Amino acid sequence: MAVFSGRDLSCERAERVVFDGVSFDIPGGGVTELRGANGSGKSTLLRMMAGLLAPARGTIAWNDTPIDADRDAHRARINYIGHLDGVKGMLTVAENLRFWSEMARGGPGDKPTQDRVDLALATFGIAKLADIPARSLSAGQRRRVALARLIVRPAIVWLLDEPATALDTTALAALDHAMAAHLGAGGIVIMATHEPARRPTPRVDLDEYARIAARRGPSAAPTANAGVA
């Protein structure tokens, strides 16, 4: 079984240690929440996991192999949805999804682009918006389109930064359903969130690691294990 892991990760920003000693092990089918106050480093840790930022110290690995060993392979296994939705306003919803799908095509048993687009539109309830320019969408609709990238660009690890932002109850249910299907297929979900927990979920508490950073005692760092809430 695939395992996504981090060991003794430290983040420094403007000569200040934001968090120190973060460790995690997340197997296929596992979900983990990143929790903590604003500025505790949740978004930064997600970007480290995506390979977009290097930790000041520590290692992130896939099956015990550091992600730095093959950046292209790591990018292929990651689907990262950050605060910026990446939706092009001049394109229609379907054109945005088609673009993302074409960028991701080529894997074994790959689905045709239109099949992916149709599935994404249905999954997030945005089929009626398919031909509407994205610049005309509400914030919640744009967020749905951004999240639909998870469907048109398949990847084993989903990194989601506040995915519930601007979503209504129906959209939240669609997101929950998509995540459940992904986890059931052996995928991994890691998400930064301030939302009240709707179910018991393993978590990494960045506030605790911020306190460790303040003490500068990395040897005292707890292990945030995907099997422990």
Side-chain angles (χ1 to χ4, degrees), residues 86-97:
V87 177
K88 305 299 182 185
M90 67 187 72
L91 301 180
T92 67
V93 167
E95 287 169 344
N96 271 281
L97 297 179

Side-chain angles (χ1 to χ4, degrees), residues 4-7 9 19 22-26 32-34 41-55 59-62 67-68 71 74-75 77-80 157-160 188-192 204 206 224:
F4 189 42
S5 62
R7 290 290 175 270
L9 299 173
F19 59 72
V22 173
S23 295
F24 59 87
D25 292 286
I26 309 172
T32 295
E33 293 181 352
L34 307 185
K42 299 185 299 299
S43 296
T44 298
L45 181 55
L46 280 178
R47 289 174 65 81
M48 286 182 182
M49 291 174 171
L52 300 174
L53 292 176
T59 303
I60 298 175
W62 181 258
I67 62 174
D68 290 342
R71 288 283 181 178
H74 187 62
R75 280 193 290 269
R77 73 174 65 99
I78 293 293
N79 218 332
Y80 169 66
V157 180
W158 291 3
L159 302 176
L160 311 178
I188 290 171
V189 176
I190 305 165
M191 57 180 173
V204 174
L206 271 297

Side-chain angles (χ1 to χ4, degrees), residues 79-211:
N79 218 332
Y80 169 66
I81 308 292
H83 288 295
L84 300 178
D85 54 44
V87 177
K88 305 299 182 185
M90 67 187 72
L91 301 180
T92 67
V93 167
E95 287 169 344
N96 271 281
L97 297 179
R98 197 170 295 117
F99 170 76
W100 291 329
S101 181
E102 288 292 340
M103 291 288 287
R105 289 199 65 201
D110 206 357
K111 291 183 178 181
T113 292
Q114 193 57 49
D115 287 355
R116 283 187 180 178
V117 171
D118 290 344
L119 179 59
L121 291 169
T123 297
F124 285 96
I126 51 177
K128 64 182 180 182
L129 304 176
D131 297 324
I132 295 178
R135 63 174 174 269
S136 301
L137 302 179
S138 69
Q141 289 170 335
R142 287 179 68 94
R143 193 60 172 170
R144 287 195 195 202
V145 175
L147 290 168
R149 191 186 318 158
L150 298 169
I151 308 302
V152 297
R153 185 196 179 281
I156 191 169
V157 180
W158 291 3
L159 302 176
L160 311 178
D161 200 346
E162 301 288 352
T165 299
L167 297 185
D168 59 19
T169 302
T170 301
L172 283 173
L175 176 60
D176 282 347
H177 180 77
M179 288 195 297
H182 182 62
L183 295 169
I188 290 171
V189 176
I190 305 165
M191 57 180 173
T193 182
H194 286 292
E195 294 290 313
R198 295 193 293 276
R199 65 186 66 82
T201 304
R203 65 183 58 183
V204 174
D205 183 356
L206 271 297
D207 288 337
E208 176 60 24
Y209 292 105
R211 289 190 287 270

